[in-house]
Amino acid sequence: MTKVESLKHWGFFVFLCFQKATFLQGARNLETKVALLLAVEPQDPKCFAEGMEDLTCFWEDDGILEEYTFMYTYQYEKTTDCVVTAQPTGGSKARYFCKLSKVQHFVPLDLHVYRGGQRIHNRSLFVEHVFLLDPPANLTVNWTGKQGQLRLSWLPPPLKYMDNSMIYEISYVIAGRQMGKLEVVQANTEITLRGLQPGTRYEVRARVKPDGVTYDGYWSAWTSLVSRETPQRDMDPLILTLCLVISFILILLSLSMLLSHRRFLLKKMWPLIPNPENKFEGLFTVYGGDFQAWLVHSSGGLWWRPGFFYVEELPAPLEVLSEGSLGPAVSSRTVPSRALAALGEEREDEQEGMGKADPALTDRWNPQPQGQWLFDQLWPLHQHSLPPFDSGPLESKDTYVTLNQGSQPEGGEGPLDDVSEESLPLQVLFATPGTPVSQSDLGSLRHSSGSGRLSSQSSFEYAHNTWPPKSSSYAYLAIADSGIYMDYSPMSSARTGVVGTGGIYTNEYENDIHPHKLPHPGQPIHSEC
Amino acid sequence: MVCSSGLLAVLLMILESTRPGLPSPLRPICDLRVLDRFIKEARDTEATMRGCREGCSLGEPLAVPLTSVDFAVWEKKDFAEQTQEVQAGLWLLGQAVGSARASVTDAALHSLIDSSSRNIYSIGQVLHSLNIQEYTPSTGMSGGEDTWRVSTVSELFQVQTNFLRGKVRLLLSTAPACNKDGS
């Protein structure tokens, strides 16, 4: 039982709260309407109809409630009294209200207000002409799906017979701005706003009024603001298609460019680093780059065959002309066996090389008796001793071999001093420290260089030895070399097999070597070590 | 206005065609804008008559229908009652306007009075299109509780305006013929 009672109490409490809320809402509503009327209606008493069966009139004055009498009369009917109520407004003035008990439309209504017997206000109106409605309810804003548009809809006032007699005013403004636009809608409860900026937030509100033909009244209060953002600008499908086509074309162009220049690009991006691994078997894989260790442990035959280094190169025959007594010179200085030892090995290669030699060269290197003599001189020396190669650098850097284009040697047997430069196809300079030979030879060499003859120098260790010329009248100069075969002479680009360390080319010949003076294409120069 | 005049032209054509009395089925005229145009014209006439000072008095008081509508009372009546009330009132009004035409001496006002007469007739045809029964005057309706007496032309046309705005319009807005169509 107590449970039921408590439920009853709770229900009553909730009902009271609801009533209070409604009352408060109504009171707030009334206040709003009163304020509106005070602003727009100059006549007294100010009256408004909220529905089809009511009329409320009020006026402001600073009297006592009991003083006032409110009388109203419909046309052709008798006068009726209305009960006056008071509402203090703060200060000395008060508002006096009267709600008519009988409401008739489409008939003139006369109103009279008396204060203490004296008529203070007088007004004649039609009740259907003083409507002051509530703002439209349920104002909703939606997207239409099209750009720059918003669709508004609301509910009409819940009054009978007046559905077709309403006009609405829509106010929409960009959020944050002051100036907005107004739209008037007649006999319709929805509207589509067009021409709006995309991606912008708009604030919308509405109010309602009878259209004035049959019914008339005052503009209602504005609804509360409803804000909505217009959809973002979507890409025009034509522009999108054009962009896609253009990007596709650009991609195709770049791809075709890449493919046509792929080799160039690959070279630039991943340049081929020359790897000497194939020349040195096991140097990197077994010995980890330790060249000394590799030299020691690798097979010696590889080293003893200079042909291993430059198998692709065509051995160019060298004619060594030695004038004068090469015999004692031979004995005084030992020809580095490394040079001469290579010579024997090279003979087979050189034979082939000879065959490949340019015919022009062959012409120049005319087999002469002195050439044969030179070779004969050199050959025994080669056969004498074959000391192992040293891995050190060249011991002497002051002997030079020059190859000259030009006339064939005529008197090759003479000493070096007697040789004229023009007649020497090859000048062998034996420059021991302090020997005057080198001086004269220097001069001759200089001269020969100045005359445009090709000069090729390589240092070799040679002590006035003759080299055994080949039987086929090619003399080969065995040149000592201690290092890896490299081309680093200024003329190395022309297949010059110049051998020696960097120090060889440094001094005496300042202007003799012209980098652009390449060896005659028909004259491969081959130096062996 | 152009739309209303177009509608009026159509209406008049229809009315002319139905004048011989052949019961031709009329299309229901449910658009209240037709009536609104008549109301506006009546309002203009009332305003003009209000300014009339001389030559505007009626010879004798004329009976006019009551224009007041108490919605609480009105809604309690059924459609037949409402129809009767409206049709009787229109007939009465027509009679009064005809009498006033004879009383008013000002020639300028004659055209306005004639226009009002035509409008009242047209409204009758509009009601006829909605299958609303026509009024047959019976004895004892000329004076009664349901009538007022007016003594001036301005009052007469004020009554006409209020009657059209009120009862006639309410009847049209609730006509079953229009509501069945969903308009």
Side-chain angles (χ1 to χ4, degrees):
Chain A
M1 209 52 185
T2 38
K3 219 176 185 180
V4 174
E5 279 179 8
S6 65
L7 275 173
K8 275 187 190 171
H9 287 312
W10 271 111
F12 188 63
F13 178 70
V14 166
F15 176 73
L16 277 179
C17 287
F18 179 72
Q19 287 286 358
K20 193 177 178 188
T22 314
F23 176 74
L24 284 172
Q25 179 65 32
R28 242 179 277 135
N29 216 5
L30 182 68
E31 279 297 318
T32 316
K33 288 183 176 172
V34 163
L36 268 169
L37 268 184
L38 283 171
V40 296
E41 179 58 64
Q43 295 184 55
D44 274 320
K46 304 180 200 310
C47 299
F48 62 93
E50 291 176 288
M52 303 302 286
E53 297 170 24
D54 64 271
L55 183 71
T56 307
C57 294
F58 69 93
W59 67 95
E60 280 185 334
D61 210 349
D62 55 354
I64 313 166
L65 176 63
E66 289 72 24
E67 291 181 305
Y68 295 100
T69 313
F70 188 91
M71 313 292 284
Y72 63 94
T73 313
Y74 287 106
Q75 195 179 42
Y76 306 120
E77 289 193 14
K78 58 182 185 189
T79 306
T80 315
D81 189 43
C82 178
V83 178
V84 180
T85 56
Q87 189 189 59
T89 55
S92 61
K93 280 202 171 181
R95 273 189 213 122
Y96 301 94
F97 286 87
C98 180
K99 282 183 86 79
L100 270 66
S101 54
K102 187 182 174 188
V103 173
Q104 289 194 10
H105 292 242
F106 312 110
V107 68
L109 175 66
D110 293 324
L111 301 170
H112 304 280
V113 180
Y114 298 91
R115 180 180 174 180
Q118 194 178 5
R119 194 170 72 181
I120 54 169
H121 298 302
N122 183 19
R123 192 179 170 189
S124 179
L125 53 85
F126 283 92
V127 177
E128 72 277 2
H129 286 172
V130 289
F131 276 104
L132 181 53
L133 307 165
D134 290 334
N138 266 17
L139 178 63
T140 53
V141 186
N142 291 313
W143 288 348
T144 59
K146 291 183 183 176
Q147 218 180 69
Q149 288 186 7
L150 283 176
R151 185 160 197 83
L152 276 68
S153 67
W154 57 89
L155 291 179
L159 295 174
K160 270 185 180 178
Y161 317 116
M162 288 178 72
D163 297 349
N164 306 327
S165 307
M166 297 294 178
I167 55 168
Y168 305 91
E169 198 173 51
I170 310 298
S171 160
Y172 58 101
V173 65
I174 295 174
R177 293 196 192 171
Q178 298 297 322
M179 295 297 292
K181 285 187 184 175
L182 291 173
E183 285 279 344
V184 175
V185 183
Q186 203 150 12
N188 206 355
T189 57
E190 55 185 13
I191 187 175
T192 301
L193 297 174
R194 291 184 171 86
L196 304 176
Q197 295 178 23
T200 317
R201 182 160 285 274
Y202 278 89
E203 289 174 343
V204 174
R205 54 182 187 170
R207 61 181 184 177
V208 65
K209 184 176 93 78
D211 61 358
V213 179
T214 304
Y215 302 99
D216 204 353
Y218 310 96
W219 279 111
S220 70
W222 287 105
T223 58
S224 51
L225 282 171
V226 177
S227 70
R228 187 73 186 228
E229 198 167 312
T230 49
Q232 291 285 344
R233 189 186 302 276
D234 50 316
M235 194 69 75
D236 191 11
L238 179 66
I239 293 170
L240 194 67
T241 315
L242 281 172
C243 286
L244 283 172
V245 166
I246 287 166
S247 2
F248 182 66
I249 289 168
L250 284 172
I251 288 166
L252 276 177
L253 276 171
S254 52
L255 273 174
S256 60
M257 286 251 317
L258 276 170
L259 286 171
S260 62
H261 292 93
R262 65 176 180 279
R263 282 188 201 161
F264 173 76
L265 285 169
L266 280 170
K267 261 195 216 173
K268 288 292 173 190
M269 305 262 291
W270 296 282
L272 203 64
I273 302 166
N275 196 350
E277 252 193 63
N278 55 348
K279 308 261 192 209
F280 301 94
E281 239 176 62
L283 170 61
F284 294 106
T285 53
V286 179
Y287 298 97
D290 187 358
F291 189 68
Q292 296 218 4
W294 180 80
L295 276 177
V296 170
H297 295 287
S298 67
S299 55
L302 287 172
W303 178 248
W304 291 105
R305 280 202 291 137
F308 168 72
F309 298 121
Y310 36 87
V311 290
E312 307 89 10
E313 311 253 346
L314 297 175
L318 264 180
E319 183 172 336
V320 177
L321 289 184
S322 166
E323 296 85 21
S325 54
L326 294 172
V330 173
S331 60
S332 61
R333 289 183 69 159
T334 55
V335 177
S337 54
R338 55 193 173 203
L340 293 176
L343 192 62
E345 311 287 336
E346 285 290 339
R347 293 190 71 171
E348 295 80 19
D349 301 333
E350 287 148 13
Q351 289 244 340
E352 297 160 9
M354 268 191 321
K356 295 174 203 168
D358 197 271
L361 180 65
T362 317
D363 290 337
R364 277 194 297 281
W365 299 106
N366 211 8
Q368 293 292 330
Q370 69 277 6
Q372 183 65 33
W373 170 82
L374 184 65
F375 188 80
D376 290 332
Q377 292 281 331
L378 288 172
W379 181 239
L381 197 65
H382 164 67
Q383 287 178 337
H384 276 161
S385 56
L386 292 169
F389 267 70
D390 294 44
S391 57
L394 282 167
E395 293 153 26
S396 170
K397 294 184 182 172
D398 44 14
T399 50
Y400 298 92
V401 173
T402 44
L403 283 175
N404 290 335
Q405 297 179 10
S407 55
Q408 297 297 322
E410 293 166 7
E413 292 191 21
L416 281 173
D417 313 301
D418 304 333
V419 173
S420 65
E421 48 269 23
E422 289 84 7
S423 62
L424 280 180
L426 176 69
Q427 289 184 2
V428 177
L429 301 175
F430 304 99
T432 53
T435 51
V437 176
S438 57
Q439 300 288 331
S440 60
D441 287 336
L442 272 172
S444 64
L445 188 62
R446 277 209 196 92
H447 180 75
S448 65
S449 305
S451 63
R453 284 179 184 168
L454 183 72
S455 307
S456 165
Q457 300 114 33
S458 64
S459 142
F460 66 98
E461 209 170 306
Y462 185 76
H464 304 286
N465 287 330
T466 57
W467 296 315
K470 283 208 113 154
S471 53
S472 57
S473 77
Y474 284 96
Y476 287 87
L477 176 66
I479 297 165
D481 186 28
S482 61
I484 298 167
Y485 174 70
M486 280 197 289
D487 291 343
Y488 48 83
S489 85
M491 296 183 284
S492 63
S493 59
R495 298 179 289 139
T496 308
V498 181
V499 181
T501 58
I504 295 166
Y505 306 101
T506 49
N507 29 30
E508 281 88 349
Y509 305 96
E510 310 100 21
N511 57 351
D512 291 334
I513 304 301
H514 299 279
H516 59 273
K517 282 193 176 170
L518 301 172
H520 196 276
Q523 186 183 9
I525 299 156
H526 176 68
S527 322
E528 301 160 345
C529 54
Chain B
M1 284 301 277
V2 175
C3 184
S4 306
S5 61
L7 282 165
L8 181 63
V10 167
L11 180 67
L12 284 170
M13 278 160 53
I14 293 161
L15 290 171
E16 289 296 317
S17 67
T18 58
R19 200 175 272 257
L22 290 170
S24 53
L26 284 173
R27 247 185 109 177
I29 301 170
C30 294
D31 193 349
L32 284 170
R33 289 178 292 179
V34 176
L35 185 62
D36 286 345
R37 192 188 175 275
F38 296 136
I39 293 168
K40 286 174 188 173
E41 279 200 13
R43 211 161 52 182
D44 294 339
T45 307
E46 177 198 341
T48 311
M49 293 302 180
R50 214 180 290 131
C52 173
R53 295 283 174 257
E54 290 180 7
C56 309
S57 60
L58 297 170
E60 55 175 358
L62 298 171
V64 289
L66 298 174
T67 61
S68 61
V69 173
D70 191 337
F71 281 101
V73 174
W74 176 265
E75 282 172 359
K76 284 178 188 154
K77 293 178 186 174
D78 59 6
F79 188 72
E81 268 186 84
Q82 293 170 355
T83 305
Q84 180 67 22
E85 200 169 323
V86 167
Q87 291 283 42
L90 272 175
W91 180 85
L92 207 58
L93 205 57
Q95 297 291 314
V97 169
S99 303
R101 173 71 170 79
S103 302
V104 169
T105 54
D106 193 343
L109 299 176
H110 284 171
S111 60
L112 285 174
I113 294 168
D114 291 337
S115 168
S116 291
S117 282
R118 282 195 295 273
N119 288 350
I120 289 166
Y121 182 80
S122 300
I123 291 164
Q125 294 301 309
V126 169
L127 292 174
H128 178 68
S129 74
L130 301 177
N131 293 326
I132 291 170
Q133 247 179 346
E134 283 194 28
Y135 172 73
T136 50
S138 59
T139 55
M141 281 298 292
S142 57
E145 298 170 1
D146 297 339
T147 61
W148 289 336
R149 298 269 172 193
V150 291
S151 52
T152 62
V153 177
S154 65
E155 279 183 359
L156 171 63
F157 285 99
Q158 189 188 50
V159 164
Q160 181 197 0
T161 307
N162 294 336
F163 189 74
L164 294 180
R165 286 193 304 127
K167 290 180 180 176
V168 176
R169 200 173 190 277
L170 281 170
L171 191 74
L172 276 177
S173 62
T174 57
C178 294
N179 294 338
K180 278 178 191 172
D181 293 345
S183 59

